[in-house]
Amino acid sequence: MSINLRKTSRNFHLWLSLVIFIPVVVVIGSGLLLQVKKEFDWLQPPTQKALGDAPSISFDNIIEAVKNVPEAKLNSWGDIDRLDVRPDKGIIKVRGKNHWEVQLSATNGEVLQVAYRRTDTIEAIHDGSWFFESAKLWLFLPAAILLLILWLTGLVMLFTTLKSKYLKQYYRSLQKG
């Protein structure tokens, strides 16, 4: 590789890495938190376990049970984002749009745990939608594509550097021998 091409490649690599620095740091930082989310109850409430396995309570019982939890502020189905049914643990997680989670016994509707769930916010930061909805497509996706290009060009620079060092050593050994 000529010296000009190598210098141009390194310059391109440097400036491209500066352009994508902030989105990549956000993705890496939030990704690290998501990797350990089950290790820290503050990030994601631990899943409780109840007796029984097959859910037997009705949807009416579910909404009535969560209405009786004042801190969750889940007063109607419109406040609920999703239900996560875990038959093997005998529970139903009711996740609110406000990020509160109420875990209920799947057989009798007893409230087992109430906690704020931060992982939903961290996931939104990770994919970029927390900043503004189109950030996923117009900021984080291009940063990911540019990161892939940086990785590929970095491999090319590594390969050419190693090849150049190998060839120098080879020619020096020929001159000595």
Side-chain angles (χ1 to χ4, degrees), residues 48-117:
Q48 302 299 308
K49 192 165 176 94
L51 297 174
D53 51 4
S56 58
I57 62 171
S58 68
F59 285 115
D60 290 335
N61 295 128
I62 292 172
I63 195 69
E64 286 308 312
V66 297
K67 278 183 183 180
N68 292 325
V69 179
E71 62 263 42
K73 296 182 180 130
L74 304 173
N75 298 315
S76 70
W77 287 108
D79 298 329
I80 295 173
D81 181 42
R82 69 185 74 160
L83 300 179
D84 182 0
V85 180
R86 303 283 175 103
D88 59 322
K89 299 201 183 239
I91 66 156
I92 298 172
K93 293 182 182 183
V94 181
R95 292 170 50 183
K97 291 178 180 174
N98 61 2
H99 303 294
W100 278 87
E101 177 181 279
V102 179
Q103 294 184 28
L104 306 172
S105 166
T107 55
N108 61 17
E110 174 190 354
V111 175
L112 302 173
Q113 178 175 275
V114 179
Y116 189 77
R117 185 181 174 95

Side-chain angles (χ1 to χ4, degrees), residues 5-164:
L5 187 56
R6 184 175 285 171
K7 188 176 180 180
T8 303
S9 180
R10 286 185 189 275
N11 250 349
F12 176 75
H13 203 79
L14 168 74
W15 288 106
L16 195 59
S17 65
L18 290 175
V19 167
I20 66 169
F21 176 76
I22 291 174
V24 169
V25 166
V26 168
V27 169
I28 290 171
S30 58
L32 288 171
L33 286 174
L34 290 172
Q35 287 292 316
V36 297
K37 68 184 178 185
K38 297 203 185 259
E39 308 303 318
F40 299 99
D41 297 348
W42 184 82
L43 292 172
Q44 179 173 308
T47 301
Q48 302 299 308
K49 192 165 176 94
L51 297 174
D53 51 4
S56 58
I57 62 171
S58 68
F59 285 115
D60 290 335
N61 295 128
I62 292 172
I63 195 69
E64 286 308 312
V66 297
K67 278 183 183 180
N68 292 325
V69 179
E71 62 263 42
K73 296 182 180 130
L74 304 173
N75 298 315
S76 70
W77 287 108
D79 298 329
I80 295 173
D81 181 42
R82 69 185 74 160
L83 300 179
D84 182 0
V85 180
R86 303 283 175 103
D88 59 322
K89 299 201 183 239
I91 66 156
I92 298 172
K93 293 182 182 183
V94 181
R95 292 170 50 183
K97 291 178 180 174
N98 61 2
H99 303 294
W100 278 87
E101 177 181 279
V102 179
Q103 294 184 28
L104 306 172
S105 166
T107 55
N108 61 17
E110 174 190 354
V111 175
L112 302 173
Q113 178 175 275
V114 179
Y116 189 77
R117 185 181 174 95
R118 290 169 180 82
T119 51
D120 297 335
T121 303
I122 296 168
E123 287 172 8
I125 291 169
H126 187 70
D127 72 13
S129 61
W130 183 79
F131 301 99
F132 52 96
E133 189 56 39
S134 57
K136 289 165 62 170
L137 188 59
W138 297 106
L139 182 61
F140 281 70
L141 178 62
I145 292 167
L146 293 175
L147 182 60
L148 176 63
I149 292 168
L150 274 175
W151 179 71
L152 292 171
T153 59
L155 282 177
V156 168
M157 287 191 300
L158 175 66
F159 176 74
T160 57
T161 301
L162 292 176
K163 181 181 173 187
S164 174

